[in-house]
């Protein structure tokens, strides 16, 4: 009885993944006001805007397309020629229109004009019969059977894609290649985007050694600072590398104060697990408000989160994420908690990554009552079905399992064991990492 009770109490101080996400979202929303001071805009040439976050709504200055035009290579004519009593349509070709030409010929009844894709539709024409349905004759006539095209077909209308004055893309958009192309199609040369937020990173641990030093006995290379750096850079943000910090209160305090003065967000790894967390906790109480969480998840159980304000003269506070030390746990907690928060702090909207159901090629053991983020490979089975398998050994320190994977298999809080052929949710790395 006693053990069971103690166990329940132990369980109850765990946050679920969704509770942790909510707590982060709440702080981001409330600190957005003070962060907004840093959210300055800058104007960049269009080709430098990929991955940046749009700071304004962009309204289209023109109709797209700007004129009615042909959607096909063929012959343009007045759709009223397609009378029910005609089996075969015969029209006299009076000329040719190429894309980009502005000359407008007057097409009369019984006539048509040879037209190329993108060429302006003559005023009296509303229909294009594609070339492949037609026969040309030596006497300058073209013929086709009635029924291969209906009146109004194969014509693009002015403003059909986008009308002048309508929103082409909205503020908060993370700009992708199609957005850049869309802007160019409107003749827009530069865009107002948010300046990149500054994110300080540091690694804590006496055992850590930088890759530029030789590895002394008992030490390990610091990989977290490198994976974190590129994860953040991939989000288009500025990284400030604050190096390796030794596990003692003075060094940590100094490092955090410096980082908080420079950056909008601090991300540290290591030093938040039981035992080590004690003096980090004590120090964080001096510098701001930070919660030390145990999250019901695997990997990535311990995590610290809050805001630091070591300098009372500074109007804004610095958001702080203390991630666990294990290299895979760092990447999982980064993608499950930090990524969306950073994008939102930088002004982005719609940052959610979709969960996609795929059949599992294997059974997976899973305990109910925690969320697991297993490293997976989505692949095509011999029947051509896309299915998922795990990358094998799932230890939180095994970075190779992450490197081999192309997705997270998300096993939800209440979910139990997975049988072969069951549906599981995956988050594909492409677009995420
Ligand atoms: P900690 O959370 O500090 O107890 O670290 C958990 C595990 O992750 C330990 O085995 C650490 O050696 C390892 N670790 C901590 N920080 C790093 C780092 N920056 N790079 C690689 N491994 C690390
Ligand atoms: Mg440590």
């Amino acid at each position: 009885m006693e053990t069971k009770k103690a166990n329940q109490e132990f369980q109850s101080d765990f946050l679920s993944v969704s509770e942790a996400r909510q707590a982060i979202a709440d702080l981001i929303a409330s600190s957005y006001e003070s962060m907004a001071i840093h959210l300055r805009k800058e104007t960049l040439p269009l080709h430098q805007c990929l991955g940046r976050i749009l700071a304004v709504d962009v309204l289209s200055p023109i109709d797209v397309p700007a004129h009615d035009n042909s959607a096909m290579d063929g012959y343009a004519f007045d759709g009223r020629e397609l009378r029910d009593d005609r089996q075969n349509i015969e029209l006299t070709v009076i000329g040719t229109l190429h894309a980009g030409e502005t000359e407008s010929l007057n097409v009369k009844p019984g006539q048509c004009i040879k037209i190329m894709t993108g060429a302006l539709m003559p005023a009296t024409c509303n229909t294009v019969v594609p070339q492949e349905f037609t026969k040309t004759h030596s006497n300058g006539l073209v013929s086709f059977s009635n029924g291969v095209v209906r009146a109004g077909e194969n014509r693009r209308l002015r403003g059909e894609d986008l009308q002048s004055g309508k929103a082409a893309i909205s503020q908060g958009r993370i700009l992708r290649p199609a957005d850049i192309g869309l802007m160019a199609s409107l003749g827009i040369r530069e865009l107002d985007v948010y300046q990149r937020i500054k994110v300080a990173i540091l690694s804590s641990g006496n055992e850590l050694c930088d890759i530029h030093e030789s590895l002394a006995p008992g030490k390990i290379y610091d990989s977290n600072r490198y994976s974190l750096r590129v994860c953040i850079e991939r989000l288009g943000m500025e990284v400030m590398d604050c190096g390796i910090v030794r596990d003692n209160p003075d060094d940590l305090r100094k490092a955090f104060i410096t980082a908080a003065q420079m950056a909008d967000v601090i991300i540290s790894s290591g030093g938040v697990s039981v035992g080590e967390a004690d003096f980090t906790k004590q120090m964080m109480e001096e510098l701001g408000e930070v919660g030390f969480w145990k999250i019901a998840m695997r990997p990535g159980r311990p995590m610290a989160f809050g805001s630091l304000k070591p300098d009372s003269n500074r109007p804004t506070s610095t958001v702080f994420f203390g991630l666990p030390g294990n290299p895979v746990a760092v990447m999982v907690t980064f993608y499950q908690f930090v990524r969306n928060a950073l994008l939102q702090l930088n002004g982005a909207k719609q940052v959610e990554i979709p969960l996609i159901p795929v059949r599992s090629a294997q059974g997976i053991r899973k305990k109910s009552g925690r969320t697991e983020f297993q490293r997976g490979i989505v692949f095509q089975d011999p029947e051509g079905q896309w299915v998922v398998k795990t990358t094998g050994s799932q230890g939180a320190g095994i970075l190779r399992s992450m490197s081999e994977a192309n997705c997270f298999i998300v096993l939800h809080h209440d979910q139990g064991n997975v049988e072969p052929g069951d549906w599981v949710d995956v988050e594909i790395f492409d677009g995420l990492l």
Side-chain angles (χ1 to χ4, degrees):
M1 273 304 269
E2 279 299 284
T3 340
K4 196 175 168 204
K5 186 159 173 276
N7 206 18
Q8 271 171 355
E9 274 167 16
F10 177 67
Q11 288 290 337
S12 66
D13 56 56
F14 273 70
L15 284 182
S16 69
V17 165
S18 52
E19 284 166 336
R21 284 198 178 123
Q22 192 55 50
I24 293 169
D26 291 346
L27 185 101
I28 299 296
S30 68
S31 71
Y32 200 80
E33 290 290 298
S34 55
M35 282 297 301
I37 296 167
H38 287 279
L39 269 190
R40 298 200 191 92
K41 295 173 190 172
E42 63 183 322
T43 306
L44 292 181
L46 188 59
H47 67 274
Q48 287 176 13
C49 292
L50 184 65
R52 299 296 294 267
I53 298 158
L54 191 64
V56 291
D57 289 335
V58 176
L59 306 183
S60 179
I62 55 172
D63 282 331
V64 182
H67 310 274
D68 291 3
N69 67 78
S70 176
M72 290 283 203
D73 289 342
Y75 296 87
F77 61 98
D78 181 342
R80 284 176 295 187
E81 301 284 357
L82 303 169
R83 290 203 327 246
D84 287 345
D85 59 337
R86 290 179 173 170
Q87 259 197 339
N88 207 42
I89 312 288
E90 264 188 5
L91 300 167
T92 307
V93 185
I94 61 159
T96 305
L97 274 175
H98 294 97
E101 287 174 358
T102 52
E103 187 195 2
S104 177
L105 291 168
N106 188 13
V107 181
K108 298 197 186 98
Q111 295 182 337
C112 69
I113 196 160
K114 187 166 187 187
I115 196 163
M116 304 301 154
T117 306
L120 302 193
M121 288 292 278
T124 53
C125 298
N126 65 355
T127 308
V128 174
V129 57
Q131 186 160 340
E132 54 270 32
F133 294 132
T134 63
K135 260 196 224 131
T136 48
H137 306 276
S138 54
N139 56 2
L141 288 179
V142 69
S143 66
F144 54 94
S145 51
N146 199 353
V148 296
V149 66
R150 278 175 303 180
E153 277 185 338
N154 303 319
R155 165 191 59 162
R156 291 191 285 234
L157 290 172
R158 173 184 179 145
E160 180 179 289
D161 285 357
L162 194 57
Q163 283 167 6
S164 172
K166 289 270 164 64
I169 37 177
S170 310
Q171 181 257 326
R173 175 143 190 115
I174 305 167
L175 294 162
R176 297 176 307 160
D179 302 316
I180 305 296
L182 176 63
M183 293 297 97
S185 78
L186 305 180
I188 291 170
R189 297 179 199 131
E190 49 188 35
L191 288 174
D192 287 343
V193 295
Y194 289 119
Q195 282 185 8
R196 304 185 302 167
I197 58 170
K198 296 189 178 84
V199 184
I201 51 171
L202 57 91
S203 296
S204 91
N206 290 334
E207 75 281 30
L208 301 179
C209 162
D210 189 80
I211 53 173
H212 299 292
E213 294 163 7
S214 56
L215 195 64
K219 302 262 178 170
I220 58 166
Y221 286 121
D222 168 14
S223 60
N224 291 344
R225 222 159 17 99
Y226 288 85
S227 44
L228 277 176
R229 180 193 188 116
V230 291
C231 287
I232 299 161
E233 281 174 350
R234 201 163 249 205
L235 297 179
M237 290 152 196
E238 193 178 327
V239 175
M240 304 178 131
D241 187 346
C242 296
I244 297 170
V245 184
R246 298 301 167 203
D247 279 329
N248 68 70
D250 286 342
D251 283 0
L252 277 166
R253 185 185 292 104
K254 239 186 265 164
F256 277 112
I257 291 174
T258 314
Q261 280 162 348
M262 295 192 304
D264 303 305
V265 182
I266 301 173
I267 304 174
S268 71
S269 70
V272 292
S273 46
V274 183
E276 280 187 313
D278 297 344
F279 64 79
T280 320
K281 249 186 206 168
Q282 206 181 345
M283 190 188 59
M284 289 295 172
E285 272 164 22
E286 288 171 36
L287 302 179
E289 276 175 48
V290 174
F292 282 73
W293 297 346
K294 278 182 280 179
I295 306 176
M297 69 185 282
R298 208 164 116 142
R301 198 176 71 161
M303 198 174 116
F305 172 70
S307 64
L308 302 183
K309 199 174 175 182
D311 178 356
S312 55
N313 295 322
R314 197 166 182 256
T316 57
S317 52
T318 301
V319 176
F320 168 64
F321 290 92
L323 305 185
N326 272 312
V328 177
V330 164
M331 296 200 74
V332 170
T333 48
F334 181 86
Y335 281 107
Q336 299 307 323
F337 301 112
V338 186
R339 173 192 179 272
N340 289 5
L342 290 182
L343 288 170
Q344 279 163 341
L345 284 167
N346 213 150
K349 290 176 180 160
Q350 291 177 343
V351 297
E352 294 300 324
I353 297 285
L355 284 178
I356 297 167
V358 177
R359 284 192 192 276
S360 179
Q362 67 186 81
I364 307 173
R365 289 172 65 85
K366 158 72 171 59
K367 265 195 204 146
S368 167
R370 70 182 184 204
T371 309
E372 291 190 15
F373 298 92
Q374 300 220 355
R375 276 70 68 205
I377 300 173
V378 172
F379 67 103
Q380 237 174 340
D381 72 9
E383 281 82 55
Q385 288 289 324
W386 287 94
V387 294
V388 70
K389 63 179 180 187
T390 66
T391 54
S393 183
Q394 296 284 312
I398 305 172
L399 205 45
R400 196 166 56 85
S401 79
M402 185 79 197
S403 165
E404 284 169 0
N406 64 11
C407 70
F408 287 125
I409 304 171
V410 182
L411 302 173
H412 298 283
H413 192 88
D414 296 325
Q415 202 169 344
N417 288 337
V418 173
E419 302 299 330
D422 281 357
W423 291 98
V424 288
D425 281 340
V426 301
E427 252 175 345
I428 302 285
F429 286 172
D430 197 13
L432 174 70
L433 301 198

